[in-house]
Amino acid sequence: MASTAAGKQRIPKVAKVKNKAPAEVQITAEQLLREAKERELELLPPPPQQKITDEEELNDYKLRKRKTFEDNIRKNRTVISNWIKYAQWEESLKEIQRARSIYERALDVDYRNVTLWLKYAEMEMKNRQVNHARNIWDRAITTLPRVNQFWYKYTYMEEMLGNIAGARQVFERWMEWQPEEQAWHSYINFELRYKEVDRARSIYEQFVIVHPDVKNWIKYARFEEKHSYFGHARKVYERAVEFFGEEHMDEHLYVAFAKFEENQKEFERVRVIYRYALDRIPKQEAQQLFKNYTIFEKKFGDRRGIEDIIVSKRRFQYEEEVKANPHNYDAWFDYLRLVESDADADTVREVYERAIANVPPIQEKRHWKRYVYLWINYALYEELEAKDPERTRQVYQACLELIPHKKFTFAKMWLLYAQFEIRQKNLPFARKALGTSIGKCPKNKLFKGYIELELQLREFDRCRKLYEKFLEFTPENCTSWIKFAELETILGDTDRARAIYELAIGQPRLDMPEVLWKSYIDFEIEQEEYEKTRNLYRRLLQRTQHVKVWISFAQFELSAGKDELSAGKDDSLSRCRQVYEEANKAMRNCEEKEERLMLLESWKSFEEECGTDSTKERVDKLMPEKVKKRRKIQAEDGSDAGWEEYYDYIFPEDAANQPNLKLLAMAKLWKKQQQETEAEAVDPDKDIDESNS
């Protein structure tokens, strides 16, 4: 039993994996392969070099190599690279007959392989076996006649051997298969190399029938022109025009035909060709044709004729566009630009009248924005180009009557009309126009333009009246109040300016009240009315307790003390400090703790610059403590979205009023004491040693 037990093999227990989590550092298969490559684990030592000393060893070597090649072929007959390597090895040993036999066996396996035929023929040519090479090329082009590479190689070989007739015969056999265009060009170039122009012409005749493209007809005609057969070239072009007819007209053919006639100095024939083509080819397909016609006329025609052609063509295009969509104002702009550059005034006016007759069907301003510029351009044309101020005035008046001012208006039209009247030195007409515009459809832009005009004319009383009307129209516009007050300041009437500011800040609604108050305060500072400035700050603080107002007030007190002669430096510092005190007291109940912090930081910087040690210490005690807190986040649907951390500021003044904060501070102190006690208990010997020492 003991021997039996000893004979049994003990199966080791498989250790259970306790931690099945993925390792922190992952190793990919790519990394393993790269490391194996770097360490060169799979490199085999090179075979020992073998030196063949006698024929028996050579035969033995050949036998082994042939056996290896035959084994590879036997494993997979369809791998042609094995056959080619085998044949090339036999060729390197000058065993041409054996190599030929291998290629033949390979062709029996796959006769459609192009590389195999090429290697076979190259071997025969390399070893100067010309007839064998011809035989192989013949078999190749017979078996695979659509492989152009065989034909190119075959004809090149015959030409290099000087067998021109044989090369021509191969080309003829090739053309029977109607190959691609490049093959025909190769045949033509071959004939031209041996000055066989008639043969090349006959090839071109076949070529344009097999590949009847416009470019091939053009090449045929240029071939005739190059060899000075101008009559033949003209006939080729005429045959091409007849061949394609009117259904398949191509502008490139007519451009080439016209250039040929131009070279022959047949200018009338050129014009006939261009006009014939332009009359029959659609305009969008004849851009190049028209461009070349233009260049021709610039060279050999009169200027007026070519300009008429260009303008008439473009005018026809624009007419088509505006007929298709009369409310396409961009097309009208392009059309008018063309007409203005060439036509007389009556024609331009006629087109303008047609354009402005297309009134937008909907009375909405966005539909009228482009349309109004037709009127503006019309008026500018009459004033600047036609030099007719009366017609310009009529255009402006007609436009202003057409615009529905009760729904919307265009301030630029009124202002342009007024500026036109001023240029004509009709100031009453300009004022009447602007007054009418303000009465019909008051707009900020109109008031500003009218006021700017009167300012340039130095009519300040009119400016005051206009500002009064303007502020009646938009009393909430702070910019208008400020500009009005600035005007009075420039005129030296500070009491009127102050009264305007008082009226402005008394308005119930203002679009930018902070800008208005700042302007009023700056005005009083410029006038060195510091007491009034203080009162302004106090009035502003009754309306808003914004931190920037307090800081600005404090900075004013600091700077005002330097300017006032009656007050000393200490007085200005105490006033500034008092403002900061008031601000801090007022902002204790402010919910925005960042604003309160901003105030204290400004106060601290002031004390650091101008204060004493006691005042600096006092402000430092007021600085808050920055703590990190957490709060719940609720999604839009009311569900919990987790917690978020944020920073809060605890001010010492607030902490004194909150018992919970005191309790928290005491708890922190107790925890610190506990940690110190534990540290002492851990190493009592150390304390004894220290006491002994």
Side-chain angles (χ1 to χ4, degrees):
M1 291 292 290
S3 62
T4 307
K8 287 184 179 180
Q9 293 181 352
R10 290 184 180 180
I11 302 171
K13 292 182 180 180
V14 180
K16 292 183 179 179
V17 180
K18 294 181 180 179
N19 185 8
K20 295 183 179 181
E24 292 183 0
V25 180
Q26 297 289 320
I27 301 175
T28 61
E30 182 185 357
Q31 190 174 350
L32 291 172
L33 291 172
R34 194 187 307 116
E35 287 181 2
K37 176 67 176 172
E38 289 172 357
R39 296 177 186 177
E40 298 182 349
L41 298 176
E42 298 180 1
L43 285 180
L44 297 175
Q49 290 185 352
Q50 184 179 5
K51 291 184 179 181
I52 298 171
T53 56
D54 58 5
E55 187 176 354
E56 186 178 351
E57 286 183 2
L58 177 61
N59 292 332
D60 183 48
Y61 166 71
K62 288 181 180 178
L63 182 62
R64 277 187 285 106
K65 287 290 287 184
R66 285 184 182 126
K67 186 176 182 303
T68 305
F69 280 123
E70 291 291 347
D71 288 342
N72 288 337
I73 290 169
R74 198 178 301 110
K75 286 176 187 175
N76 195 344
R77 291 170 56 83
T78 58
V79 179
I80 301 300
S81 61
N82 291 337
W83 293 96
I84 293 173
K85 288 176 185 176
Y86 189 8
Q88 287 176 343
W89 180 77
E90 292 287 0
E91 184 189 354
S92 67
L93 297 175
K94 304 300 182 184
E95 295 282 354
I96 305 302
Q97 194 60 37
R98 282 180 175 276
R100 197 175 286 137
S101 174
I102 293 163
Y103 276 122
E104 292 294 340
R105 287 166 60 197
L107 288 173
D108 290 339
V109 173
D110 186 6
Y111 69 92
R112 292 181 177 274
N113 192 294
V114 175
T115 307
L116 193 58
W117 286 102
L118 292 173
K119 294 290 184 184
Y120 191 5
E122 284 174 5
M123 182 198 75
E124 297 290 4
M125 290 191 293
K126 199 184 297 181
N127 291 283
R128 301 180 182 278
Q129 301 292 324
V130 177
N131 289 328
H132 280 285
R134 281 198 183 105
N135 184 20
I136 292 163
W137 288 128
D138 273 326
R139 288 166 59 196
I141 62 178
T142 306
T143 308
L144 301 171
R146 291 295 178 191
V147 180
N148 292 330
Q149 197 172 4
F150 293 160
W151 295 98
Y152 284 121
K153 295 267 187 181
Y154 192 6
T155 54
Y156 181 71
M157 184 191 78
E158 293 291 359
E159 189 175 359
M160 289 296 101
L161 293 171
N163 187 9
I164 308 304
R168 186 175 290 120
Q169 188 178 3
V170 174
F171 270 120
E172 288 294 338
R173 287 173 62 190
W174 191 6
M175 296 306 115
E176 290 175 3
W177 289 96
Q178 296 184 356
E180 61 184 15
E181 295 178 8
Q182 187 56 43
W184 291 90
H185 291 310
S186 298
Y187 189 12
I188 291 166
N189 292 334
F190 165 76
E191 295 292 0
L192 290 176
R193 279 197 294 274
Y194 300 101
K195 312 298 183 185
E196 295 287 349
V197 178
D198 293 333
R199 286 182 181 275
R201 185 180 292 116
S202 63
I203 297 165
Y204 262 121
E205 288 290 342
Q206 299 174 46
F207 177 38
V208 295
I209 293 171
V210 174
H211 295 285
D213 296 333
V214 170
K215 60 180 181 179
N216 296 333
W217 283 96
I218 294 172
K219 286 177 182 176
Y220 183 14
R222 285 178 180 167
F223 156 77
E224 296 286 5
E225 184 181 2
K226 183 179 178 181
H227 292 88
S228 302
Y229 293 101
F230 302 117
H232 288 190
R234 187 174 286 115
K235 286 181 181 177
V236 170
Y237 279 121
E238 291 171 355
R239 282 172 57 199
V241 170
E242 186 179 352
F243 177 81
F244 288 104
E246 294 186 4
E247 296 179 358
H248 304 284
M249 295 181 72
D250 191 294
E251 62 171 348
H252 296 95
L253 175 62
Y254 290 94
V255 168
F257 193 5
K259 284 185 177 178
F260 164 75
E261 295 292 358
E262 183 180 338
N263 293 335
Q264 305 308 313
K265 312 297 182 185
E266 296 284 351
F267 301 130
E268 287 304 319
R269 290 177 67 90
V270 175
R271 286 193 181 88
V272 170
I273 292 165
Y274 276 127
R275 288 171 184 170
Y276 175 84
L278 286 171
D279 290 342
R280 287 163 178 77
I281 298 176
K283 304 297 181 186
Q284 61 273 15
E285 297 176 10
Q287 299 297 325
Q288 192 66 26
L289 185 70
F290 189 82
K291 181 180 177 182
N292 282 277
Y293 186 24
T294 307
I295 293 169
F296 166 75
E297 287 291 352
K298 284 180 180 178
K299 284 183 184 177
F300 306 106
D302 56 341
R303 180 181 176 184
R304 188 62 191 172
I306 185 58
E307 287 181 355
D308 288 344
I309 293 169
I310 296 171
V311 171
S312 62
K313 178 179 179 291
R314 290 175 63 189
R315 186 178 294 172
F316 174 78
Q317 292 175 348
Y318 290 135
E319 285 287 351
E320 292 294 324
E321 287 184 27
V322 298
K323 280 180 185 175
N325 183 9
H327 294 97
N328 182 5
Y329 300 120
D330 290 328
W332 281 110
F333 287 132
D334 294 337
Y335 190 9
L336 287 163
R337 199 176 297 117
L338 169 70
V339 173
E340 284 182 24
S341 64
D342 186 70
D344 55 354
D346 292 336
T347 308
V348 175
R349 287 188 182 114
E350 180 189 352
V351 178
Y352 266 117
E353 292 294 338
R354 286 172 55 200
I356 61 178
N358 298 297
V359 182
I362 303 172
Q363 289 191 351
E364 291 182 12
K365 189 168 184 177
R366 60 191 180 91
H367 295 289
W368 284 64
K369 283 184 177 180
R370 297 293 289 163
Y371 172 69
V372 164
Y373 278 99
L374 287 172
W375 286 96
I376 293 172
N377 290 347
Y378 190 9
L380 292 176
Y381 170 78
E382 291 290 356
E383 181 183 1
L384 302 176
E385 300 295 333
K387 310 291 184 185
D388 192 339
E390 191 57 40
R391 284 188 66 89
T392 307
R393 187 175 291 109
Q394 292 174 7
V395 170
Y396 276 121
Q397 290 173 354
C399 176
L400 292 172
E401 288 175 7
L402 182 65
I403 297 171
H405 300 291
K406 291 182 180 179
K407 294 187 177 181
F408 58 86
T409 190
F410 289 95
K412 65 172 72 67
M413 282 302 302
W414 292 102
L415 294 173
L416 285 171
Y417 179 36
Q419 290 164 6
F420 160 74
E421 292 293 0
I422 289 169
R423 285 194 294 273
Q424 301 302 316
K425 301 180 181 179
N426 289 329
L427 185 58
F429 279 37
R431 282 179 174 149
K432 182 180 178 183
L434 290 172
T436 306
S437 69
I438 290 171
K440 280 188 177 181
C441 44
K443 284 184 70 176
N444 291 352
K445 195 173 179 181
L446 286 170
F447 277 109
K448 289 176 183 177
Y450 199 178
I451 290 168
E452 184 66 27
L453 170 66
E454 296 295 354
L455 276 175
Q456 290 175 359
L457 296 171
R458 301 294 186 265
E459 294 285 350
F460 299 117
D461 291 335
R462 287 181 179 273
C463 289
R464 287 190 177 110
K465 290 179 182 178
L466 286 171
Y467 269 121
E468 290 171 5
K469 294 288 184 184
F470 191 7
L471 294 171
E472 285 177 15
F473 172 61
T474 55
E476 71 279 357
N477 192 338
C478 291
T479 308
S480 305
W481 288 103
I482 293 169
K483 292 287 185 184
F484 192 9
E486 286 176 354
L487 172 66
E488 296 295 350
T489 307
I490 292 168
L491 296 175
D493 199 339
T494 55
D495 293 335
R496 283 180 67 92
R498 191 173 286 115
I500 290 164
Y501 276 122
E502 288 294 335
L503 281 172
I505 61 177
Q507 296 299 318
R509 280 180 59 236
L510 291 170
D511 55 359
M512 293 185 294
E514 66 281 356
V515 178
L516 180 64
W517 279 95
K518 184 179 183 305
S519 178
Y520 192 5
I521 289 168
D522 292 343
F523 164 76
E524 294 292 2
I525 291 172
E526 285 178 7
Q527 302 301 319
E528 297 184 358
E529 296 285 350
Y530 299 115
E531 198 59 40
K532 290 182 179 179
T533 308
R534 289 189 187 96
N535 294 335
L536 274 178
Y537 270 116
R538 294 294 177 187
R539 288 166 63 188
L540 178 58
L541 288 169
Q542 289 174 5
R543 299 194 181 193
T544 177
Q545 293 288 323
H546 198 278
V547 63
K548 289 186 178 179
V549 179
W550 284 108
I551 293 172
S552 175
F553 190 12
Q555 290 173 349
F556 158 73
E557 290 291 0
L558 183 62
S559 62
K562 297 175 183 178
D563 297 335
E564 287 180 310
L565 298 176
S566 61
K569 182 179 180 182
D570 295 338
D571 194 10
S572 67
L573 294 177
S574 62
R575 282 182 181 177
C576 181
R577 194 172 288 114
Q578 183 182 356
V579 172
Y580 278 120
E581 292 276 2
E582 291 178 18
N584 186 38
K585 195 178 294 182
M587 296 189 72
R588 280 179 185 172
N589 300 324
C590 179
E591 295 181 359
E592 297 292 334
K593 294 186 178 182
E594 287 81 0
E595 292 187 0
R596 190 174 173 188
L597 176 63
M598 191 189 306
L599 176 73
L600 288 173
E601 286 176 348
S602 175
W603 190 2
K604 185 178 179 181
S605 64
F606 158 71
E607 294 294 354
E608 286 176 355
E609 184 180 351
C610 306
T612 62
D613 293 338
S614 59
T615 56
K616 290 176 186 176
E617 185 180 353
R618 181 164 176 265
V619 176
D620 287 337
K621 289 180 181 179
L622 294 175
M623 296 302 289
E625 181 184 358
K626 188 178 182 181
V627 296
K628 187 187 289 186
K629 293 186 178 181
R630 298 174 66 203
R631 60 187 171 198
K632 273 190 174 181
I633 306 174
Q634 283 192 344
E636 293 181 358
D637 56 355
S639 61
D640 290 339
W643 293 79
E644 72 168 355
E645 290 185 349
Y646 70 99
Y647 287 101
D648 194 10
Y649 297 97
I650 299 175
F651 291 87
E653 296 173 343
D654 298 342
N657 298 328
Q658 295 182 13
N660 293 336
L661 295 174
K662 287 184 179 179
L663 184 62
L664 181 63
M666 291 172 66
K668 284 183 178 178
L669 181 62
W670 175 81
K671 185 177 180 182
K672 185 177 180 182
Q673 291 175 353
Q674 286 291 108
Q675 289 175 350
E676 291 176 355
T677 307
E678 289 175 1
E680 290 175 359
V682 169
D683 198 2
D685 297 337
K686 184 178 179 182
D687 297 338
I688 293 169
D689 294 340
E690 288 177 357
S691 63
N692 291 335
S693 62

